Amino acid sequence: MVDDSHPFDPWLINFLWYSAAVVLMEIDEDGVVTRANRFSRSLLDENPMGKPLKSLIVDFEHKLDIRHLPADGKAIHQLSFGTGQKLPQTCFMRFLRQGNKTLVIGEVHAEQIEQMRHLLVDTNNRLSNLTRDLHKKNADLERLNEIKNQFLGMAAHDLRNPLGAIMLYSDYMLEHDNDTLADQHAEFLNDIRSLSQFMLELINDLLDISAIEAGHLKLDLEPDDLVPLLKNAVSLHQPLAGKKEMDLKLHLPAETLPVQIDANKIRQVLNNLLSNAIKFSPHGAKIEVQATLTEDEIQVAVVDQGPGVKPEEMLQLFKPFIRLSAQATGNEKSTGLGLAICNKILTAHKGRIWAENNPDGGARFFIALPILEL
Amino acid sequence: MSNLLETHQPPTRHPSVLRSYPAYLDALMEGDHFTCNQVLQSLLKEEVPLIDLYRGLFERSLVHVGRMWESNEISVAAEHMATAMTESLMAQVYPVLFKTERCGRRAIVSCTVNEYHQVGGKMVADLFEAHGWDSYFLGANTPLPDLLAMVEEKTPHVLCFSLALYSNTPTLLKSLQRAREVFPDLPILVGGQAFSWGGTEILDRVSNTHFLANLNVLEDWIQQW
């Protein structure tokens, strides 16, 4: 409401237009800005003349109707102005209609600016503190992982020697004293032998995985041919497959499959996949090893007729110490580390390993290695 | 109060840091994070000691920025930008910093209520970490009850307060007195830019409270522990 008893002092008018830290604008009947004081222009970081006032205000819900806001100079509206590159600035606005023009008067509360500043600084501080904590926790985890690997390595080394002795003595007795041993004692010795063998495999796997996780996996990469490796792996597993009357076959797309590999490590992978296929397939099953060539990869699939992999176990397949629900069909034991080791070896070769279920039963375990360009 | 106040000492004499500082400062004032990081990475590659990085690069540049703001040569926005960049650059040191073997000791570092300048406190926390301590940095504007609860939980060997603005001294004193009441035997360390021109005598009112003038003095204290 304008107090007519005090006409506007020209000095005051000048002050309001050029110096005062208040928003002062004039809009016409269409809501378009016709005048704006210096503070408004500085706040908005542009000259608002000729622009609809609505376009200068941040209004995500598009509910603002300037022309119908109360313009008696009393009602206060909290509106946020877009300020170019800076954050929107909230002002407490009043509208005062004067004929066919409306005065738009706004205050920026210093307290609010200070609160926003504190909020921003606080948020920035929290973010940087979280970063610090994250790095700290990462360092703690790395230390724990290192301790774990050292422990695994030490434990495995200390266990391997006694096991070697156990296997040696049981082998000796079975070989040299077989005629004098009671049947039951021979059976016991056989059990001792096979359990010791399993423990040795477990220890070797533990040593492998701790070496790999400690970053000690060193590959001896050489140009090689996958064909003889595949033939050799299949041939090695024929006796095992034969015991369960399984049909183990190899299918090759070419006479040579050139790769750059650490042959011992890839041999380890192939042995693991083949022994798994034999372990989990039923008596008399068909197992196929199929090599295929793509544009840049050699893929080898070991196809079995086992129970397949449950969908919920697919993601866990290549993680260490995971025991899956599938049961070995000949009571063979599993360390739970083989596929995890295979995964690490393939990754180190810049290759891949994955599994898929066959539509008509069983699973396919794939490995892929980059082709060596000759 | 035991006074370990050092007389004036240049922040660092490490030649690589001294050589790199002008380029770093220029880049910091320009908001050029990339160049600042390049300078830092080359010093990290040279395995420059942490104390020299923190004092000769981060602290020295922020003190310069602070003085420019005080004399109205730069805006508060520019000061905040430099501070935010510095905190981000300090994070580049973390992969090296947190690898030190732990010594089993713990420190809690905090700013008082209404104290939003936390970089100094963070440097103190980081220096403890570099010496194998586990440090818990509570950040800016820490409410006193939360601070005391953390001390109760973590049972630190020392409690540290960082103060950047002298106007927050009354709040600091209240925090010190309350902490002393609840934890009568806990050593307390105090430091920060607030005491650049003196004013440490208020700390005489609280027992077993030590003023440490800068990070070098803190490092000596840690090594003597």
Side-chain angles (χ1 to χ4, degrees), chain A residues 117-119 121-122 124-126 128-129 131-133 135-136 139-140 142-143, chain B residues 80 84 87 91 94 98-100 102 116 118 122 125-126 129 135 137 139-140:
Chain A
R117 192 179 79 81
H118 277 171
L119 188 63
V121 168
D122 200 32
N124 182 52
N125 287 346
R126 279 171 202 261
S128 74
N129 293 346
T131 308
R132 185 178 186 276
D133 285 346
H135 277 281
K136 205 172 157 182
D140 285 343
E142 273 180 32
R143 266 195 289 275
Chain B
H80 283 155
E87 289 199 87
Y94 291 161
F98 291 118
K99 279 194 180 331
T100 317
R102 306 291 93 188
Y116 285 86
Q118 67 166 18
K122 198 181 268 192
D126 289 354
E129 290 282 352
S135 72
F137 179 60

Side-chain angles (χ1 to χ4, degrees), chain A residues 238-257:
Chain A
Q238 288 293 5
L240 210 60
K243 275 187 191 173
K244 287 172 134 184
E245 292 179 318
M246 289 174 173
D247 183 17
L248 174 58
K249 287 222 164 19
L250 172 63
H251 302 280
L252 295 167
E255 286 192 7
T256 61
L257 296 169

Side-chain angles (χ1 to χ4, degrees), chain B residues 90-106:
Chain B
M90 279 168 67
Q92 302 297 319
V93 182
Y94 291 161
V96 173
L97 173 71
F98 291 118
K99 279 194 180 331
T100 317
E101 206 172 308
R102 306 291 93 188
C103 67
R105 294 183 205 120
R106 295 174 298 282

